[in-house]
Amino acid sequence: MASSSSDSVFQRGLTKLCWHGKPAERSRLRVVYNNATLDTGSDRAAPPQVSYKTNKIKTTKYTLLTFLPKNLFEQFHRFANMYFLFVALLNFIPQVMAFGREIALIPVIGVLAVTAIKDVYEDYRRYQQDKKVNLSKCLVYNKVAKSYEPKECYRVLVGDIVKVKCNEVIPADLLLLECSENSTTCFIETANLDGESNLKQRTAVDVSLDSNGKFDPRIPIMVECEAPNAELNKFNGYVVRHLDNGRKKGLSKENLLLRGCVLRNTDYIKGIVIYAGHDTKAMKNSSGPRYKRSKLERYMNRDVIWCLVILLFLCFFSAIGSGVWLSLKWDSPEDIPYIPFDDGVRDGSKPAVEGFLRFWTFIIIYQVMIPLSLYATLEIVKFCQVYFIHQDIAMYYEEADILPVCRALNITEELGQVQHIFSDKTGTLTENKMVFKACVIGGMLFREDTTSADNAASETDGAQATADPVTDETKSTSVLTSVANGYTDEGEELTDEQKAKINEFLLLLATCNTVVVSSHSHNLSMSMLDSTTMPSSESVDTIDTAITTPNGTITSHYSRFNIQEANGSASGSVLEVPMTTFTPVKNALKKITARIRRSFINEDSSGDGLPNGEESVLSQRTLASRYEAESPDELALVKAVCKYGCRLLSRTSQSVSVYLPSAGSSPIQYEVLAVLPFDSVRKCMSVVLADERSGEIVLYTKGADNIIFDKIKCKDNNQKELLKQTRIYVNHFAKDGLRTLCMAKKVLDREMFEGWYERYTNCDLEDREAVQFSLCNMIETEMELLGATGIEDRLQEGVAESIQALEQANIKVWVLTGDKQETAINIGYACGLLPTDAAILTLNVPNADEVESALQGHLRGTLTRSGAASTASADTRPPHIPKCLIVDGKTLSHIFSGNLSKSFLRLADSCLAVLCCRTTPSQKAQIVELVKTKSKKLTLAIGDGANDVNMIRTANVGVGIEGLEGKQASMAADFSLGRFKHLVRLLFVHGHWSYDRLAIMTLYNFFKNSNLIFVLFWYQIFCMFSGQTHIDQVYLIVFHLLFTSVPPIIFAILDQDLPAHTLMAHPTLYQQGPENKLYHRYSYWIQILDSLYQSLAIFFISYLHYADADIGLWSFGTTQTVTLVFAQLIVLAFETRYWQWPFICSIVLSLVGFWVFLLILGTACLRCDPPSNPYWVMQTILSYADSWLCIMLGVIVAVVPRLVFLVFYNMVYPTDVIHYRSLLLGKSKHRDSQNLNIVFPDETPATHRTIEHL
């Protein structure tokens, strides 16, 4: 170990090296030292990391001392609570007091107490979780004891060396320094962060002193990296080592282990803490429930403002009336209808002063004109609606055990108002279970047999796929293995160039990926369990039998690859492409069979399937090995080449081991010099390999065909012909709906590569991503084309029926995909997005100057050809023919950069469907934002992958599909589903019900609150606007809290205008939401006018009835209170379409509770707070028959006009909902209303499910 003096010199040198920049630059960087090499206490970090956060997690909001002030402070930030508090405090002023002081405090104390209890419970749960995490133990290096000792996680500091064992959770963000078993790689599971269950591989940084790869914790190192941020897939920095004299070594995300990940398939790792506690990326990404404001809520807020206007108007009017009455001159004191002021008090200014004071009194009296309780009611209702969405068994995806999940609790009604749907293709409309179907290698077309492909597809349907070593792998590898060993179908030898291209193509597919090879069991959704053995004699006998069929054809057991015939009639063919390179000949079967026997069988073998008893490198790995990939495409390609003899054996950050058919029984080791990861802009991935045998350095690249073709350099006519032929095949692949990828290579000069790699790894942190992107584009040029692949991604069940139903509901569906245009069009036809009789408008204009003319040409309906790439085939069709628009990503970039968005939107709105291909994630978000902001349409985006997150977050409603690409989309979405077809039920049933219920309930709350206020207002006319109320103050305070609060909540949770099967069978019923038929701009005023009329009927019928009667003030007011309660509950009953026991019970309990409350209050309230005195009032009213008659008459006169209007309007202007309700009610044989038949359009009666109504 170096001396302490040299260490201190080194530390000072590092500090000078890292802190020479400007202060602004230093603030964006983090410098971390190894604490074990610093002269500090065991639990103290040294500068500059002394200011960094510790690893203690604290997600609680309160302590015992801060709870009361902080909670009150937060609650009074809400307008509702501030309003209640203001009114309560206003009532403490004697000059304006309307109610008793204690009574006025009941609402605000009740609201604050309920909210405080909820906050305490939630915060205590967070405290328990924090305590559990902070007190968990991890191994931290102790420089005094010179060993790793257990320490609580909250005591871990930045710069500590931490050891993590297999299946343990990473306690902080660690820079990986050492892995077990002399390996430089480890495996982690990131499901806690991004939901992806497949294993990720991480690479250790070489900072060791000795040659055995072991890290010495006493090594003085320093890490310079970016400041803490929330980017999970980004990490840039340098590590400076002691022995390298301060030389920097670049760091990336592949070297960082994030907090919350789980170590898998690795005995242990060691790392240095870079970010701790709340600085970790996991904590930076943690946030509370997302909040979105729905369209109905925006309408409601608008109408609340109108309530405020009405409140102020009533208060001003009443205040002016009070002043006017006081200013009148009376001839004698006996004529004064109110208690006069003393002569010494009354003067000319008194009416104005009294009017001002009475204004604030009326604010207290009319306070419930603003239905602030409506917000709390909405929260309760939406919470229950979300619960029932979660429990809907009809949206359960049994295969993956996925139920619908809602993460945005306040936009359930938005599901019933969707007008535009933006959908991803892969994994959303399709299965995302890739099946390798065909490939082109050096101009030679190979394709997968249909039967075998079906078998292969079935293998990947489960949580993990198992390949049988005999029946599955051996029987499918023979043809291409023999070809790769040097023979064609005719048994003739291939040329060296053909053999090299085939081997390099297989090598590229096996190595240019992120597939992880592991040998431990790990239950994942995207993995391939594959036993590694060579064919046995029994399996080869089966192959022989399969090959030598009577008609001499190649059966499905043999022909995993069929070389296309010249007439395009190969068995199981899906491509009608002429082939000129290879032609299968029937008489070559015996030669192929003999070659297979010579390759795999020898009478003297030891049973391993190798001649002369040679030991197979594959047979040594009889234990199950597993392929795990971040992308289903990569898994399908690696699995395909594995079945055809080229097997990926192992992978580390520095090397990759593969088995090639042409290499005999020995594996080939390649040194991995660089990996250029895939990104959505470059649309390709590259790997630089060095062959240990020849020392040649080769860059292998795979990516989108349009990107790779632009990188190809044709040196002669043969390569030009190869490029042309490959383009033809790729286009045919795409037309058959296959996903296409192209492969290329480039031989690199070692000196050139080393200079390039030095620049790539040591670029500045400030603009590292941009510089690395430029360097990737620089090296990925002048490449040689190897071939292309076609992968099938089948449609999900029910997608076509779902899209048809959505279009019938007048919802426009746009598909935004990154696939090739021909592939996207094929899928568009297959899923019904593009009708067969539709006119296709294509916008595929590479030149920015021609985009505007192409748009205008389509808008004018004339054929405008902007070069060969711009085509339109719809202009000559009749006007009634539906039009569909297809646009590519390059044209979209021109549209957004050229301010042509409005023209594009006009054209898209005139089309039945829009299909955008070759789009980037940012373009998807731009399209959604364009429609949402410019068209003012309610948008929904649905996707399954990380590239769909931007689109999902931009839309009004985001829906994620939990698929094979992890859970990033579903975690970022408002709603999560298992399949695309479940979206139809989510919208047509739950969305329709939620909008219908919430719209009616919101308007009903406006009605009942204003109804009470108008009754109070009419009495003020007769009491000279004095501020006296004729209804007891207790009744007024608890009227909306106890008497009429529960039935509207039950209604909004359970009511149904139509059963689920009817809504699913008739998509046009969905239109009442998008067209705002239930809650439009006049709905509020209709309710206000009705409440105004009912208040007149209720007040003046009672007034006329008691005009000459000797009855007290409180009896008069209590009669009207009873009439109000009955009338408002009956109005709600008119709105109810689905009577069930919870709603009936809520009505009964409300009435019973109302009577009991009034009787108890009338009995117990001997001396209540004056001027109210309800003692024995209720008992007195019940004893008179005319009081009952007055109540009944008031209710009838109040509610009958509303009933007559509803009946008349529904008869003259029936909606679709009313029409279908009448049909259901008119059937003699009615369905049991307590059960719902769950019917999906593609289901047969035998598959219908009946579930109990939620």
Side-chain angles (χ1 to χ4, degrees), residues 546-618:
I547 293 174
T548 57
T549 52
N551 60 3
T553 58
I554 303 175
T555 66
S556 61
H557 290 291
Y558 173 78
S559 142
R560 282 286 188 173
F561 266 138
N562 289 333
I563 303 179
Q564 192 77 6
E565 293 189 18
N567 59 5
S569 59
S571 173
S573 174
V574 296
L575 295 174
E576 298 297 333
V577 186
M579 270 304 301
T580 58
T581 308
F582 278 69
T583 57
V585 181
K586 295 180 181 179
N587 60 12
L589 294 175
K590 294 182 179 180
K591 296 182 180 180
I592 299 173
T593 305
R595 175 61 180 171
I596 296 172
R597 287 187 177 276
R598 287 195 300 268
S599 298
F600 295 138
I601 306 175
N602 190 288
E603 298 297 335
D604 298 329
S605 66
S606 59
D608 294 332
L610 290 174
N612 303 323
E614 291 182 15
E615 185 179 6
S616 170
V617 68
L618 301 182

Side-chain angles (χ1 to χ4, degrees), residues 908-922:
D909 284 340
S910 65
C911 297
L912 176 66
V914 177
L915 179 60
C916 301
C917 52
R918 292 299 190 200
T919 55
T920 63
S922 60

Side-chain angles (χ1 to χ4, degrees), residues 860-1118:
R860 290 193 301 268
T862 60
L863 182 61
T864 302
R865 303 186 69 89
S866 300
S870 180
T871 61
S873 59
D875 306 282
T876 58
R877 304 281 187 97
H880 64 276
I881 296 296
K883 296 182 180 181
C884 298
L885 178 64
I886 298 174
V887 58
D888 71 331
K890 186 174 292 185
T891 305
L892 283 173
S893 62
H894 297 325
I895 290 173
F896 289 123
S897 61
N899 297 322
L900 301 175
S901 301
K902 291 184 178 180
S903 299
F904 169 72
L905 192 57
R906 285 175 53 202
L907 177 62
D909 284 340
S910 65
C911 297
L912 176 66
V914 177
L915 179 60
C916 301
C917 52
R918 292 299 190 200
T919 55
T920 63
S922 60
Q923 286 178 332
K924 291 182 179 182
Q926 283 180 298
I927 294 171
V928 176
E929 182 69 23
L930 174 66
V931 175
K932 185 175 75 171
T933 56
K934 300 297 183 183
S935 295
K936 304 297 181 183
K937 304 292 186 181
L938 199 148
T939 59
L940 180 147
I942 179 170
D944 75 310
N947 60 333
D948 302 317
V949 171
N950 290 339
M951 172 180 71
I952 288 172
R953 287 177 173 171
T954 304
N956 298 98
V957 180
V959 179
I961 300 292
E962 290 194 30
L964 297 180
E965 294 189 22
K967 297 183 180 180
Q968 291 191 49
S970 61
M971 292 169 67
D974 305 311
F975 299 88
S976 177
L977 302 173
R979 307 293 274 178
F980 180 84
K981 71 176 184 179
H982 296 155
L983 177 66
V984 178
R985 182 176 177 86
L986 183 67
L987 299 183
F988 289 4
V989 178
H990 294 284
H992 176 91
W993 283 343
S994 296
Y995 170 75
D996 175 84
R997 298 162 175 171
L998 290 175
I1000 295 175
M1001 189 206 70
T1002 302
L1003 293 172
Y1004 174 75
N1005 273 271
F1006 286 127
F1007 159 79
K1008 72 184 186 72
N1009 281 45
S1010 58
N1011 195 10
L1012 174 63
I1013 297 305
F1014 287 144
V1015 169
L1016 295 175
F1017 176 75
W1018 302 134
Y1019 178 74
Q1020 294 304 314
I1021 298 176
F1022 294 92
C1023 72
M1024 316 309 170
F1025 298 101
S1026 62
Q1028 171 67 46
T1029 59
H1030 64 300
I1031 298 178
D1032 187 85
Q1033 57 183 357
V1034 178
Y1035 299 168
L1036 291 178
I1037 293 298
V1038 301
F1039 185 88
H1040 298 292
L1041 183 64
L1042 298 180
F1043 302 159
T1044 60
S1045 60
V1046 178
I1049 295 177
I1050 302 299
F1051 166 87
I1053 294 173
L1054 298 176
D1055 189 59
Q1056 297 177 16
D1057 57 348
L1058 286 169
H1061 63 84
T1062 303
L1063 295 173
M1064 291 291 290
H1066 303 282
T1068 54
L1069 295 170
Y1070 183 78
Q1071 275 305 293
Q1072 78 169 9
E1075 294 177 0
N1076 297 318
K1077 291 183 178 180
L1078 296 181
Y1079 198 149
H1080 47 75
R1081 66 176 62 183
Y1082 305 115
S1083 300
Y1084 170 79
W1085 294 109
I1086 293 174
Q1087 298 297 324
I1088 293 298
L1089 290 175
D1090 186 38
S1091 68
L1092 185 65
Y1093 162 76
Q1094 291 198 29
S1095 66
L1096 285 169
I1098 291 172
F1099 180 83
F1100 284 101
I1101 286 178
S1102 299
Y1103 176 78
L1104 294 175
H1105 175 72
Y1106 293 120
D1108 298 324
D1110 185 13
I1111 190 171
L1113 175 66
W1114 306 120
S1115 297
F1116 175 64
T1118 302

Side-chain angles (χ1 to χ4, degrees), residues 616-640:
S616 170
V617 68
L618 301 182
S619 62
Q620 294 174 7
R621 295 171 174 82
T622 54
L623 292 177
S625 62
R626 182 181 300 274
Y627 290 159
E628 303 185 38
E630 299 179 19
S631 165
D633 299 77
E634 292 186 339
L635 185 62
L637 292 176
V638 174
K639 180 178 178 180

Side-chain angles (χ1 to χ4, degrees), residues 322-342:
S322 177
V324 170
W325 277 105
L326 290 176
S327 63
L328 294 178
K329 304 296 183 181
W330 304 94
D331 295 333
S332 64
E334 290 78 10
D335 297 331
I336 300 177
Y338 50 82
I339 301 175
F341 291 100
D342 295 337

Side-chain angles (χ1 to χ4, degrees), residues 1200-1236:
V1200 166
R1202 184 184 183 109
L1203 176 61
V1204 172
F1205 173 79
L1206 289 176
V1207 173
F1208 175 80
Y1209 186 85
N1210 291 335
M1211 292 178 60
V1212 178
Y1213 306 104
T1215 62
D1216 291 341
V1217 172
I1218 296 298
H1219 173 70
Y1220 282 102
R1221 280 186 57 81
S1222 62
L1223 292 178
L1224 290 175
L1225 294 174
K1227 292 181 179 180
S1228 57
K1229 189 176 181 180
H1230 198 275
R1231 288 189 182 94
D1232 183 7
S1233 62
Q1234 292 296 318
N1235 293 275
L1236 295 176

